[in-house]
Amino acid sequence: MKIIKNILAAIGLICASGLFIFAYQNTEQTSVETAKQNQKNTSEASTKDYNVYALSIPEDLNFAGEQLPLENPDILERMDRELLVNTYWQSNGLLMFKRAGKYFPIIEPILKKNGIPDDFKYLAVIESGLINAVSPAGARGFWQIMPATGRENGMEINDNVDERYHLEKATEVACKYLKDSKEKLGSWTLAAAAYNAGKSGMERRLEEQDVKDYYDLLLGEETGRYMFRIVALKEILSNPKKYGFNFSSEDLYKNVPTYQVELDKPVTDFAAFAKQYGINYKILKIHNPWLREDHLNNASGKKYVIDIPEKGHYTAKP
């Protein structure tokens, strides 16, 4: 009898354990499902206001009045790529809007004065991102001018002074190069592409492939994307709302007004020189990035023009 009781007790214990394990597993499964549902709800909430859309390609895309042959499926796909890449790289795009607000007013009148179409300001955007960029090949500044090209056009380029970092002078040199390219190659599109591949390089490729138009050329990755990138930036920067960029004019970077000081003698210490005008060395170099060292040699007595910011725009500790 005692043995039977022990057997029944053991069976009862096993049954109870089974029920507990089943209840635990059921609770655990419910918890996992709840967690998954919460995760899904959180994910849906976080993406509620963010959506990625395919873009409609405008039919009238052009560069300097020269139409893109969008009826060609290859051209359409390549244009679509650059519009997508530049639309959804939002942080970079917003920076381009901000910098354009500061630097386009300097570039635009120089292009106009030289008879260069306004669209070429977008070439500077893709060349440098509107900063004084430095390339591994040796190009410098907003317009990425190589040393030989700069010197051929009268720029001073050395360790002490590098005028490729002088935005106004660099824009003038770029205009001359582009005008020469247009005369040699026959179109503004080819002139822009030649800024990347060189005038002789573009001429050679046109001859080798027996075509006359940029969009008919088979080119390497960089030059092959070049015009599409320019046109994409032109389209986006010209239509911010259309591509989802929201800002006001107050959000754009502004130029600090300056006045000019002429120098025809050496300067031994630009930090001390800056203090004479109520600024520090850093501010002096920001406004005159073409001054590459902390002094100016100027043994020849050449006349230089230094930009000094007007008072009240910077607060410098005494």
Side-chain angles (χ1 to χ4, degrees), residues 228-286:
F228 297 95
R229 291 177 63 208
I230 293 175
V231 175
L233 264 297
K234 172 191 172 182
E235 170 66 13
I236 294 166
L237 291 177
S238 300
N239 303 284
K241 293 286 186 184
K242 178 179 176 181
Y243 293 95
F245 290 93
N246 299 284
F247 54 85
S248 66
S249 59
E250 288 75 24
D251 296 316
L252 305 180
Y253 301 148
K254 307 292 191 301
N255 256 313
V256 173
T258 61
Y259 62 95
Q260 296 182 329
V261 172
E262 292 186 354
L263 287 177
D264 58 5
K265 295 181 174 59
V267 177
T268 57
D269 183 357
F270 271 129
F273 175 87
K275 281 190 175 182
Q276 296 175 29
Y277 295 94
I279 57 175
N280 57 36
Y281 176 69
K282 182 183 79 170
I283 300 303
L284 178 72
K285 294 295 286 289
I286 286 173

Side-chain angles (χ1 to χ4, degrees), residues 279-296:
I279 57 175
N280 57 36
Y281 176 69
K282 182 183 79 170
I283 300 303
L284 178 72
K285 294 295 286 289
I286 286 173
H287 286 274
N288 302 275
W290 52 275
L291 296 170
R292 304 310 296 165
E293 295 181 306
D294 61 3
H295 63 280
L296 180 64

Side-chain angles (χ1 to χ4, degrees), residues 109-176:
I110 299 174
L111 295 176
K112 185 177 181 179
K113 180 186 75 173
N114 285 279
I116 303 297
D118 188 68
D119 282 359
F120 277 92
K121 65 192 180 189
Y122 302 106
L123 186 150
V125 175
I126 69 160
E127 280 288 332
S128 64
L130 298 179
I131 61 172
N132 277 311
V134 176
S135 83
R140 300 286 188 274
F142 277 52
W143 291 94
Q144 288 292 278
I145 296 170
M146 295 293 286
T149 303
R151 292 191 180 103
E152 286 169 7
N153 289 277
M155 286 184 146
E156 182 178 351
I157 300 172
N158 53 56
D159 291 339
N160 192 233
V161 169
D162 191 337
E163 292 183 326
R164 293 176 295 170
Y165 292 97
H166 193 297
L167 179 54
E168 290 88 342
K169 291 184 178 182
T171 306
E172 292 281 358
V173 169
C175 286
K176 185 177 185 305

